[in-house]
Amino acid sequence: MEIVIDPTQMWQNFVEFVLDYKLLASLVLVVLLHFFKKGTLRLIKRRSSRKGEDRRNQINILEQLGNAFIIVLLMMVWSSEIQNLAISIAAFMVAIVLATREFIQCFMGFIYYLGARPFRVGDWIQMNNVIGEVVEMDWAKTALLEVDPETFNYTGKHVYVPNSQLVTQTVRNLNFLRRYKLHSFNIVNEPTVNAYSLLPAFRASAHAHCEYFRDVAERYKGLIERHLEQDFIQIDPEVEIKTNELAKVVVKVSLFCPTAEAHELEHKMCSDWLSLWFEALEKSACPPNTSSSSQSLGETV
């Protein structure tokens, strides 16, 4: 009786055995392939040593290919389990990402801060419409001590900004405004006197108000312009006269002054201008000299 061996049937039986006993089949495959790989590499080393050839690079490549081949076979054996595990992990990771999206964005913002360093603790910054001094920063948030944008004084409020806004929003570093600032204001009057006639006296009083901090302002101006590599600061007060859409006289004053004294200087200059304005207004409204008029009338008679 002749025994017929069917290769296809044998392969199917082998595949069914591997699928039914995956753990045992994996161990057998790993052991067999490991010893086969070691034997092949040892044979190559012996031949290369006899011939005096350096085949360390080829041996390393073959070893890595053998390891990859073992991993691929194991993945083929456990493919269904790996697929189910991957689906479960993917669904789990998606749920985690959706639940912690804001925290992930905050952490990425903190990584951006460490790389770019747009500011540091103690700097004045503006994030959105909030201006404040950075007092603390961690991986999730930035704590600001709020500063009033009009007076540049502390309001006493703490503002906590998520670090995600470091990436999605514009951040302005206002640290140079802590001591000195470019301050400008307008004075509006009725066009009842010639405003240009008051300019010399007003400029003199404005310069007198700013004279005591001129030396410090010069040094701070140089520091800022060296840092920004641009000359744009004028130390002396600038006064400009123009009119608005209502035909009013507008006096625009611009000066570089200490941040803490900006509004005090504004009040002093407004007082000086109004004093000059009303003085000129009184002179223009004063009647002619009566004594000289009477004398002129007598001579005529």
Side-chain angles (χ1 to χ4, degrees), residues 149-164:
E150 296 294 330
T151 62
F152 283 93
N153 294 324
Y154 295 110
T155 63
K157 301 177 183 178
H158 281 82
V159 181
Y160 297 93
V161 183
N163 287 340
S164 58

Side-chain angles (χ1 to χ4, degrees), residues 30-44:
V30 169
V31 172
L32 291 178
L33 291 175
H34 175 74
F35 283 105
F36 177 77
K37 181 187 69 173
K38 289 296 184 182
T40 304
L41 294 177
R42 186 174 300 175
L43 180 61
I44 295 174

Side-chain angles (χ1 to χ4, degrees), residues 47-64:
R47 289 186 176 181
S48 61
S49 62
R50 285 200 303 265
K51 295 182 179 181
E53 298 176 349
D54 186 4
R55 294 192 176 182
R56 288 177 296 177
N57 184 50
Q58 291 85 346
I59 292 172
N60 180 69
I61 293 175
L62 289 175
E63 185 174 6
Q64 300 307 319

Side-chain angles (χ1 to χ4, degrees), residues 206-248:
H207 281 234
H209 288 310
C210 300
E211 188 63 30
Y212 74 95
F213 60 81
R214 182 181 177 85
D215 293 339
V216 180
E218 285 279 3
R219 293 195 296 269
Y220 205 70
K221 167 184 178 295
L223 176 65
I224 294 175
E225 291 180 342
R226 283 195 303 271
H227 181 79
L228 300 179
E229 299 181 354
Q230 183 67 39
D231 297 336
F232 64 97
I233 298 175
Q234 180 67 32
I235 293 295
D236 296 325
E238 295 182 342
V239 183
E240 179 184 0
I241 295 179
K242 55 185 180 180
T243 58
N244 59 14
E245 65 276 5
L246 300 176
K248 307 287 187 179

Side-chain angles (χ1 to χ4, degrees), residues 57 96 119 126 128 148 173 186 201 208 210 217 229 243 256 258 267 277 291 300:
N57 184 50
I96 290 179
F119 57 86
Q126 179 178 358
N128 293 332
D148 186 4
N173 193 317
N186 295 329
C210 300
E229 299 181 354
T243 58
F256 184 66
H267 293 159
W277 184 273
S291 60
T300 304

Side-chain angles (χ1 to χ4, degrees), residues 292-301:
S292 60
S293 300
S294 299
Q295 182 178 1
S296 176
L297 180 61
E299 290 177 354
T300 304
V301 174

Side-chain angles (χ1 to χ4, degrees), residues 98-293:
L98 292 177
T100 61
R101 180 179 57 184
E102 295 295 333
F103 294 100
I104 293 174
Q105 291 178 348
C106 291
F107 181 73
M108 295 305 297
F110 183 68
I111 296 299
Y112 163 76
Y113 162 78
L114 293 179
R117 297 304 294 263
F119 57 86
R120 60 182 181 179
V121 175
D123 286 357
W124 280 16
I125 66 171
Q126 179 178 358
M127 299 178 67
N128 293 332
N129 296 323
V130 179
I131 298 177
E133 178 182 339
V134 181
V135 294
E136 184 182 0
M137 186 174 188
D138 55 28
W139 68 271
K141 66 184 183 304
T142 300
L144 304 178
L145 183 58
E146 189 180 36
V147 174
D148 186 4
E150 296 294 330
T151 62
F152 283 93
N153 294 324
Y154 295 110
T155 63
K157 301 177 183 178
H158 281 82
V159 181
Y160 297 93
V161 183
N163 287 340
S164 58
Q165 295 191 12
L166 295 177
V167 181
T168 59
Q169 303 294 332
T170 301
V171 180
R172 295 180 174 90
N173 193 317
L174 308 178
N175 198 44
F176 283 112
L177 298 179
R178 296 191 61 176
R179 293 189 58 191
Y180 277 76
K181 62 174 292 191
L182 291 168
H183 183 62
S184 63
F185 59 92
N186 295 329
I187 307 173
V188 182
N189 294 105
E190 294 287 344
T192 52
V193 300
N194 183 8
Y196 286 95
S197 64
L198 309 179
L199 275 182
F202 181 66
R203 283 198 177 110
S205 64
H207 281 234
H209 288 310
C210 300
E211 188 63 30
Y212 74 95
F213 60 81
R214 182 181 177 85
D215 293 339
V216 180
E218 285 279 3
R219 293 195 296 269
Y220 205 70
K221 167 184 178 295
L223 176 65
I224 294 175
E225 291 180 342
R226 283 195 303 271
H227 181 79
L228 300 179
E229 299 181 354
Q230 183 67 39
D231 297 336
F232 64 97
I233 298 175
Q234 180 67 32
I235 293 295
D236 296 325
E238 295 182 342
V239 183
E240 179 184 0
I241 295 179
K242 55 185 180 180
T243 58
N244 59 14
E245 65 276 5
L246 300 176
K248 307 287 187 179
V249 176
V250 180
V251 181
K252 182 178 180 181
V253 183
S254 303
L255 64 154
F256 184 66
C257 63
T259 302
E261 302 178 24
H263 285 272
E264 182 180 356
L265 291 170
E266 178 181 341
H267 293 159
K268 290 180 179 180
M269 293 181 185
C270 286
S271 176
D272 292 343
W273 175 260
L274 292 178
S275 297
L276 293 172
W277 184 273
F278 284 110
E279 183 180 348
L281 190 62
E282 290 176 358
K283 288 181 179 179
S284 64
C286 186
N289 195 332
T290 56
S291 60
S292 60
S293 300

